[in-house]
Amino acid sequence: MPPRTDAPEFHCETLAIVGVGLMGAAIAREARRQGAAAHIVGLGRDPARLAAARHSGVIDEALTSPEGLRNVGLAVICTPVDRIEADVRSLLVSGGGPRLITDAGSVKAAITRNLRDVPRFVGAHPLAGSEKRGHEHAHEVQLQDRVCVVTPEESTPSDMVDEIRAFWTALGMRVLVMPADDHDAILARTSHLPHLAAYALASLLEGNDIPFAATGFRDSTRIAASDPKLWSSILMLNRDAVRSALAAYRRTLDAADALLQSGGERELTALLAEAQQARLRLEPPAKPGVASGPR
Amino acid sequence: MPPRTDAPEFHCETLAIVGVGLMGAAIAREARRQGAAAHIVGLGRDPARLAAARHSGVIDEALTSPEGLRNVGLAVICTPVDRIEADVRSLLVSGGGPRLITDAGSVKAAITRNLRDVPRFVGAHPLAGSEKRGHEHAHEVQLQDRVCVVTPEESTPSDMVDEIRAFWTALGMRVLVMPADDHDAILARTSHLPHLAAYALASLLEGNDIPFAATGFRDSTRIAASDPKLWSSILMLNRDAVRSALAAYRRTLDAADALLQSGGERELTALLAEAQQARLRLEPPAKPGVASGPR
């Protein structure tokens, strides 16, 4: 059987990871494991943290300025969403810069729109993570068999899209290519609003409630342990889609409240049953080994 | 060291479990394991399901009518909250009935108020469970080291409260005694509203969103897989407290929405940070082996 031409192997000599935190380290670890790069450079702001990441084998080389970068095939920007645009541009100032750039940000439209003048940038969002921070927890992030959304602009050359797809596929991810706006509308429902909802639930907790917060509460609010600054940036950068999802959410809550007030138990059961059916469609989780999705 | 007089051993000859579903079976299993009863009778409506529970050793005897009950030391009502009052009363009609009755319902004020004329009833709520149903999943329910709230009326004789405390303590639970209204207000925040919120989040899911629902969404909405009829009853029976918690929740969401609209990123970060602190206070979970709480 001939090799699949739509998912070519990816390999580059030097891979640069900008921002060696939880996601940056997870991507570096998996790239190394899959042989996607011969040499991995970590770029960051905190020399001590970078040295620790190098010491533990996450990266081969640590830099605090892009000026030392040489012959980088691909740079992956893994910094918070409000820094991605600036970090991409910082790679370009010193002349050459990486041949290709992608990112791991949870919001795509604002970033790809602002970087339209940088054709070597192709935005991406690996749907993986944890509420924790730091390269030390990178082994808890599973990339294998998870979805990675790649969001080229219409003007992005298709061979660049193919290379970026090949990179994320090489990490074992299921790549889906779609417009950035579609990504942002979907992620507002499946991730951004759920984070806001979890924070809002957690904030209701009164001091004496703690012994009564059982498994259900803990699971529902686990993501409220996430970094507030990171999530404030994500919500703000995707505010239109988040506000739209939030409006739909409040309509459902309002409907439930009206039924509680009127005693409409049968209708409330129907409302919950419809939601339960939506939730049950999620199980079981996506099977491992599924091929990458449609372009 | 003398034995603790405030947590006496519990033992009865015959324990009756009314409703041998997930929780009823979990309580029966643990009661047997702890030697709390010599003989366990299961009372239910479905002979085939009861026979299966008896076959798998959850109960020793299966009855579909309380008339066959004899010399029951304690009956535990494990039916849905909207059936508990009637099920308690059905145990009383045939003369004798159980010496003591408790329950496992998630709402307490309405039930204990309606049963004020039944002094042998002392309401309880073991904070344990699962989104699943049926005695087959009972082994997934952990009672050991979990909180059980006992909600006597002011008129309940204290020796009865002691016996009910002793029963739940014998199952390895951390018993907290408090007024039913306090229980309901707290549980509205820590369990009932989170369930409603999870259902509402799940109902936002559109058909094509499924591949994008990652771990965060799955955790946040796990409890939306719970039985809609059961939860509709719980929400309705505790509607005042749930509506009050829901109003507070909507105020937080409204505040976040206003900040998204106005671009108040710093204030949004502060709002999320406060919620994160509340969530972090939950970790690590309550230590095993902590003594029972205040009376």
Side-chain angles (χ1 to χ4, degrees):
Chain A
M1 216 163 66
R4 289 182 55 178
T5 52
D6 63 335
E9 298 269 316
F10 180 93
H11 181 80
C12 68
E13 277 303 305
T14 299
L15 175 72
I17 300 290
V18 181
V20 190
L22 182 86
M23 278 303 291
I27 291 165
R29 285 169 59 108
E30 196 63 29
R32 184 186 304 285
R33 213 167 70 96
Q34 301 294 343
H39 184 72
I40 301 181
V41 185
L43 192 69
R45 300 196 293 193
D46 184 335
R49 298 283 301 145
L50 280 175
R54 191 173 62 153
H55 187 75
S56 64
V58 169
I59 52 176
D60 300 307
E61 185 185 348
L63 290 178
T64 53
S65 157
E67 278 159 39
L69 287 176
R70 291 289 178 276
N71 303 316
V72 172
L74 174 68
V76 187
I77 317 291
C78 303
T79 50
V81 291
D82 57 350
R83 276 169 42 201
I84 291 174
E85 185 192 346
D87 286 334
V88 168
R89 295 197 185 280
S90 77
L91 297 181
L92 306 175
V93 289
S94 59
R99 199 168 59 76
L100 276 173
I101 309 174
T102 187
D103 76 326
S106 303
V107 180
K108 296 268 67 81
I111 292 168
T112 55
R113 196 167 50 227
N114 290 346
L115 288 168
R116 233 171 234 166
D117 61 310
V118 184
R120 70 178 91 176
F121 173 78
V122 184
H125 177 202
L127 270 59
S130 158
E131 74 280 12
K132 297 182 182 160
R133 298 181 68 187
H135 64 82
E136 299 86 348
H137 297 288
H139 62 281
E140 297 176 33
V141 177
Q142 192 193 333
L143 298 173
Q144 283 283 336
D145 301 315
R146 298 299 170 91
V147 166
C148 180
V149 185
V150 171
T151 60
E153 291 288 286
E154 281 186 22
S155 56
T156 310
S158 69
D159 57 338
M160 282 194 183
V161 181
D162 287 342
E163 281 203 80
I164 295 300
R165 289 184 66 194
F167 170 69
W168 293 108
T169 303
L171 304 191
M173 303 197 79
R174 299 168 52 209
V175 174
L176 301 178
V177 179
M178 62 168 56
D181 283 326
D182 292 357
H183 166 276
D184 285 5
I186 295 173
L187 269 287
R189 291 190 290 270
T190 59
S191 171
H192 306 169
L193 175 64
H195 275 80
L196 180 56
Y199 281 116
L201 272 183
S203 75
L204 289 187
L205 217 57
E206 299 187 5
N208 294 331
D209 292 356
I210 291 177
F212 305 89
T215 318
F217 187 86
R218 287 173 189 269
D219 285 356
S220 305
T221 59
R222 181 183 59 78
I223 52 180
S226 305
D227 180 16
K229 185 149 182 350
L230 203 69
W231 276 94
S232 178
S233 296
I234 290 170
L235 295 169
M236 205 54 85
L237 205 61
N238 195 25
R239 57 203 261 193
D240 291 343
V242 170
R243 292 191 68 216
S244 165
L246 179 54
Y249 184 55
R250 288 156 78 201
R251 280 194 296 276
T252 305
L253 294 176
D254 288 353
D257 189 51
L259 292 172
L260 285 171
Q261 185 172 25
S262 68
E265 185 164 346
R266 184 191 299 257
E267 296 91 335
L268 183 61
T269 304
L271 187 152
L272 303 186
E274 198 175 328
Q276 183 206 30
Q277 286 310 307
R279 180 61 181 81
L280 292 176
R281 277 196 291 275
L282 281 187
E283 307 293 2
K287 286 224 183 72
V290 174
S292 69
R295 274 292 298 276
Chain B
M1 214 164 66
R4 289 181 56 178
T5 51
D6 63 337
E9 297 268 318
F10 180 92
H11 182 81
C12 67
E13 277 303 305
T14 299
L15 175 72
I17 301 290
V18 181
V20 190
L22 183 85
M23 278 303 292
I27 291 166
R29 284 169 59 108
E30 196 63 30
R32 184 186 304 286
R33 212 168 71 95
Q34 302 293 344
H39 184 72
I40 302 181
V41 185
L43 192 69
R45 300 196 292 193
D46 184 335
R49 298 282 303 144
L50 280 174
R54 190 173 63 157
H55 186 74
S56 65
V58 171
I59 52 175
D60 300 307
E61 185 185 349
L63 290 177
T64 53
S65 158
E67 279 160 37
L69 288 176
R70 292 286 178 280
N71 303 316
V72 172
L74 173 67
V76 188
I77 316 291
C78 302
T79 50
V81 290
D82 57 350
R83 277 168 43 199
I84 292 174
E85 184 192 346
D87 286 334
V88 168
R89 294 196 186 280
S90 77
L91 297 181
L92 306 175
V93 290
S94 61
R99 199 168 61 76
L100 277 172
I101 309 174
T102 187
D103 76 327
S106 303
V107 181
K108 297 268 66 81
I111 292 169
T112 55
R113 195 167 51 229
N114 290 346
L115 288 169
R116 231 170 235 166
D117 60 310
V118 184
R120 73 178 90 174
F121 173 79
V122 184
H125 178 201
L127 270 59
S130 159
E131 74 280 11
K132 297 181 184 161
R133 300 181 66 189
H135 64 82
E136 299 86 347
H137 297 288
H139 62 280
E140 297 176 33
V141 176
Q142 193 193 333
L143 299 174
Q144 284 282 336
D145 302 315
R146 299 299 168 92
V147 166
C148 179
V149 186
V150 171
T151 59
E153 292 287 286
E154 281 186 22
S155 57
T156 310
S158 69
D159 58 338
M160 281 196 184
V161 181
D162 287 342
E163 280 203 80
I164 295 300
R165 288 184 66 194
F167 169 69
W168 294 107
T169 304
L171 303 192
M173 302 195 80
R174 299 169 52 209
V175 174
L176 301 177
V177 178
M178 62 168 55
D181 283 326
D182 293 356
H183 166 277
D184 286 5
I186 295 173
L187 269 288
R189 292 190 291 270
T190 58
S191 171
H192 305 170
L193 176 64
H195 274 79
L196 180 56
Y199 281 116
L201 273 183
S203 74
L204 289 187
L205 216 58
E206 299 187 4
N208 295 330
D209 292 355
I210 291 178
F212 306 89
T215 318
F217 187 87
R218 288 172 189 269
D219 285 357
S220 305
T221 59
R222 182 183 59 77
I223 52 180
S226 305
D227 181 15
K229 188 155 180 346
L230 204 69
W231 276 95
S232 178
S233 296
I234 290 169
L235 294 169
M236 205 55 84
L237 205 63
N238 195 26
R239 58 203 261 190
D240 291 343
V242 170
R243 292 191 68 216
S244 165
L246 178 54
Y249 184 54
R250 287 156 78 200
R251 280 194 295 277
T252 306
L253 294 176
D254 288 352
D257 189 50
L259 293 171
L260 286 172
Q261 185 172 26
S262 68
E265 185 164 345
R266 185 190 298 257
E267 296 91 333
L268 183 61
T269 304
L271 187 153
L272 302 186
E274 198 175 326
Q276 185 207 30
Q277 287 309 309
R279 180 60 181 79
L280 293 176
R281 276 196 291 274
L282 282 188
E283 306 292 3
K287 286 224 183 73
V290 174
S292 67
R295 275 292 298 277

